[in-house]
Amino acid sequence: MTHNYPLGKELREQFPIFTNNILKNNRLVYLDSAATAQKPKEVIDAMVHFMENDYGPVHRGSYGLSARSSEAYERVRLLVANHIGPSVKPEQIIFTKGATEGLNILARGLGELFVRELNRIVLTVSEHHANFVPWQQLALQKNCEIAYIPLEGKLGENINISVEKAEKLITKNTKIVTLATTGNVLGQISPIKEIIAIAKNVGSKIILDCAQSATYFEDDYFAMGADALVFSGHKIYGPSGIGILALSPEMLD
């Protein structure tokens, strides 16, 4: 059976993997972007061009290749800051190996600075392991509590985080609130504005896992009061092995 796929044809043509995986008129259908996204030709070409023309050590030389590599590196920091939101400055952007490393850095760093015995860390029940295990280990190390905000709704209906339960669980003893802006399994879009307000009201730090939502930032989370956010390059059509940890100016200091 031959499929024409008129819907999205121009979009599909930007991704070589689709044109390179046609077998007996059966075209590749890829539904796993929540795990990792395919790469458009524009990204592939940019990577090849850099490797063929400009590759050099970043901030470790004064000659042409090193200077061009360093300029490109810092230009990306500016592009990422602009992508996250108008309030974000380039110096707030830290390059990591991925969202998981960013969350581990935060758990180690904030754990030492802010979390004490019997304090509380608040997550949601639907967090990715990358945003669960580091905080679980911190809670064991510090002998503090972990509380889980439940989801509400039924299968086939709008399932989301319970803001009402969040208000009860995020107490004055809470030092960290961390959650995904979009769920990696159910795809629920979290009520981030409301959760940030609740966390700020009790003086808690709030961390956002934006791995599933970084293709778009409709809101400036730092302007809302977020302290940190993370995401990975490979889930937004970029290469593997690169991630972003963005910190508020206060957290950066």
Side-chain angles (χ1 to χ4, degrees):
M1 178 194 259
T2 301
H3 299 282
N4 292 322
Y5 293 102
L7 184 62
K9 182 175 182 294
E10 292 183 4
L11 184 62
R12 287 173 63 86
E13 288 176 349
Q14 295 180 44
F15 292 80
I17 198 161
F18 292 115
T19 56
N20 293 334
N21 281 272
I22 299 175
L23 181 63
K24 294 182 179 179
N25 292 323
N26 289 319
R27 304 189 185 191
L28 174 66
V29 176
Y30 187 78
L31 302 175
D32 209 14
S33 293
T36 192
Q38 297 297 337
K39 315 310 172 197
K41 191 171 188 307
E42 185 176 8
V43 169
I44 296 169
D45 288 348
M47 292 172 65
V48 171
H49 182 275
F50 176 76
M51 296 298 289
E52 291 181 343
N53 296 278
D54 300 314
Y55 179 76
V58 174
H59 296 320
R60 287 189 293 125
S62 58
Y63 56 94
L65 289 179
S66 178
R68 292 206 300 273
S69 293
S70 301
E71 288 170 5
Y73 186 88
E74 294 304 330
R75 189 161 58 247
V76 173
R77 202 190 302 274
L78 174 60
L79 288 170
V80 171
N82 290 339
H83 177 61
I84 294 173
S87 75
V88 184
K89 302 288 191 300
E91 55 266 28
Q92 293 173 237
I93 304 303
I94 299 166
F95 295 123
T96 64
K97 298 182 185 71
T100 300
E101 185 182 47
L103 290 166
N104 276 273
I105 289 170
L106 289 167
R108 295 291 183 102
L110 296 186
E112 290 302 317
L113 287 172
F114 299 112
V115 179
R116 298 290 180 265
E117 187 175 9
L118 304 181
N119 283 160
R120 175 173 284 192
I121 301 167
V122 177
L123 315 172
T124 77
V125 296
S126 60
E127 290 308 305
H128 189 284
H129 273 171
N131 199 31
F132 166 70
V133 175
W135 305 108
Q136 177 197 50
Q137 295 305 304
L138 176 62
L140 290 170
Q141 177 190 344
K142 293 285 188 174
N143 189 30
C144 62
E145 301 180 322
I146 291 187
Y148 302 95
I149 307 170
L151 301 180
E152 57 185 5
K154 297 179 180 179
L155 188 64
E157 296 179 5
N158 187 24
I159 299 176
N160 213 327
I161 294 167
S162 171
V163 175
E164 181 181 352
K165 297 283 177 52
E167 286 186 296
K168 294 178 180 178
L169 291 170
I170 301 172
T171 63
K172 290 183 179 179
N173 195 39
T174 301
K175 298 302 178 183
I176 306 287
V177 176
T178 179
L179 73 159
T181 52
T182 301
N184 72 299
V185 175
L186 300 174
Q188 78 276 5
I189 299 173
S190 303
I192 297 300
K193 184 176 181 180
E194 291 83 351
I195 300 297
I196 288 177
I198 295 168
K200 294 287 105 176
N201 190 48
V202 299
S204 171
K205 303 299 179 185
I206 182 148
I207 298 163
L208 303 177
D209 175 1
C210 298
Q212 302 297 340
S213 65
T215 48
Y216 65 93
F217 280 98
E218 293 183 344
D219 299 303
D220 185 337
Y221 295 130
F222 285 108
M224 289 182 183
D227 294 289
L229 65 81
V230 301
F231 61 90
S232 297
H234 73 99
K235 294 193 180 187
I236 59 170
Y237 313 107
S240 297
I242 185 71
I244 297 298
L245 165 59
L247 299 175
S248 68
E250 295 76 19
M251 190 69 72
L252 192 64
D253 287 341

